[in-house]
Amino acid sequence: MTRARHLVSLSDLPDGALRSVVARAVAHARRSAAGGRAEATLVGAVVGVYFRRTSTRTRTAFSAGALRLGAGVVAYGPGDLQTNTGETTEDTGRVMAGMLDVLVARTAGDPAEMRAWAAGQRRMAVVNAMSADEHPTQALADLTTLALHFGDIEGLRVLYVGEGNNTAAALALALSRHRGTLLDLRTPPGYGLLPAVRARALAQAEQSGARVSERHDLDRLPADLDAVYTTRWQTTGTTKPDPDWRTVFAPFHVGPELMARAPKAVFLHDLPAHRGEEVAAEVLDGAGSLAFAQAENKLHSAMAVLEWCHGLD
Ligand code: CP
């Protein structure tokens, strides 16, 4: 039996698989836009969807995506599993692996827990629907959005403005694998990328011929930006210990003035948005915003991820 294909981190996707998952997601999006129905490639499979934190897009995308591909879905909320009464993570994974083909999980915590579920599993694939350090399936939706809009990801020039959170980490780990791509991150002081993520993105960029940089102001933006990306300031409602954090974040608000400095750039946001906080409503709703297409692409990319986990290339 072949080993299950896990997606706990983008690093679990070899370069060829990263490109084929995005290509498959683009194909799903185009077929859907043309009014076509998905081929039932997952008939007989059962997908567990376990979300310990709130979610609108990711949970719906994986649930609807599994159903559209013909799989069955078992959904678990935060209070449903016996881990709440003391069963170990390892035992939980072992039991689920005997019953499920894929487990899509949002823990918002340490990815080690998902690695524990994945360890030694030959059948059940584990998909990280957001951990504290990385949001890999968001990056796949982002790449799908860029590929659909620009035709090619290589060579794109992207400005990321906001916290170096799990979405920013996944974006850096994804774009740094595309030749000629520029990712310029502008993160509030004290809220940058995790050092390990930055080091990995820089190493990947060196190998691929991409460029990744990070600084903590909005001075001297690169010319000819293709996209400006921001995210909510409080990832899944998390709080920040510094009571004055809003003062630190305020200069990183994406409003019309900032977008005017990138005149041909589209606007991206992983959503949910807090209008008036990280982004002005007129930017989010403006003609250059791809944010809601990006949200729909979570469905198309989730379908592509499930198919990859199921062995389709
Ligand atoms: N972008 C994203 O992960 O959205 P949800 O939190 O609604 O799943």
Side-chain angles (χ1 to χ4, degrees):
M1 196 192 286
T2 54
R3 286 193 84 76
R5 291 172 162 182
H6 305 297
L7 178 56
V8 177
S9 164
L10 278 176
S11 308
D12 295 324
L13 280 178
D15 274 341
L18 175 67
R19 281 162 176 74
S20 72
V21 166
V22 173
R24 191 177 276 272
V26 165
H28 279 308
R30 290 200 174 123
R31 176 198 34 74
S32 171
R37 296 182 73 81
E39 202 186 321
T41 51
L42 263 63
V43 169
V46 181
V47 177
V49 178
Y50 172 39
F51 275 62
R52 275 213 303 254
R53 294 294 187 101
T54 53
S55 168
T56 298
R57 280 142 289 272
T58 316
R59 183 170 174 167
T60 309
F62 275 97
S63 306
L67 293 170
R68 285 173 186 275
L69 294 170
V73 173
V74 182
Y76 312 95
D80 291 346
L81 296 179
Q82 295 289 19
T83 44
N84 290 298
T85 62
E87 188 167 30
T88 66
T89 294
E90 289 78 6
D91 288 351
T92 304
R94 197 166 158 187
V95 170
M96 285 188 160
M99 305 182 189
L100 300 174
D101 297 288
V102 184
L103 175 64
V104 180
R106 171 170 291 185
T107 62
D110 189 335
E113 186 178 1
M114 276 181 259
R115 290 273 174 222
W117 288 328
Q121 302 303 346
R122 294 201 166 272
R123 181 172 147 204
M124 183 184 78
V126 177
V127 175
N128 176 3
M130 194 173 88
S131 55
D133 66 334
E134 201 182 319
H135 195 355
T137 66
Q138 180 62 48
L140 294 171
D142 300 342
L143 294 184
T144 302
T145 305
L146 291 169
L148 278 163
H149 187 80
F150 292 103
D152 196 359
I153 296 162
E154 291 194 352
L156 290 181
R157 297 167 67 79
V158 178
L159 177 74
Y160 177 88
V161 181
E163 189 172 21
N165 57 18
N166 43 25
T167 290
L171 187 71
L173 294 172
L175 287 180
S176 58
R177 289 167 66 174
H178 290 81
R179 185 162 48 93
T181 300
L182 168 82
L183 176 63
D184 187 332
L185 297 122
R186 302 301 179 102
T187 53
Y191 296 93
L193 285 180
L194 292 172
V197 169
R198 191 184 313 111
R200 238 167 82 205
L202 289 172
Q204 289 182 178
E206 172 121 10
Q207 200 162 32
S208 72
R211 275 179 295 158
V212 175
S213 59
E214 181 180 29
R215 48 189 285 177
H216 307 296
D217 58 49
L218 285 164
D219 297 343
R220 298 196 306 279
L221 299 186
D224 299 325
L225 285 166
D226 295 298
V228 175
Y229 194 141
T230 196
T231 65
R232 58 208 146 164
W233 287 347
Q234 287 174 291
T235 305
T236 56
T238 49
T239 53
K240 303 187 194 308
D242 174 7
D244 295 327
W245 68 266
R246 283 181 189 281
T247 312
V248 182
F249 275 66
F252 295 84
H253 167 83
V254 178
E257 306 76 19
L258 181 64
M259 291 306 292
R261 296 170 65 190
K264 73 179 177 75
V266 297
F267 173 72
L268 297 170
H269 193 307
D270 62 348
L271 301 179
H274 292 159
R275 292 163 183 263
E277 196 166 83
E278 78 278 3
V279 62
E282 61 204 286
V283 172
L284 184 63
D285 297 328
S289 174
L290 299 183
F292 288 89
Q294 197 180 348
E296 186 182 324
N297 289 331
K298 294 206 54 139
L299 169 66
H300 306 306
S301 52
M303 290 165 74
V305 167
L306 291 172
E307 289 178 308
W308 177 76
C309 290
H310 203 57
L312 298 173
D313 289 307

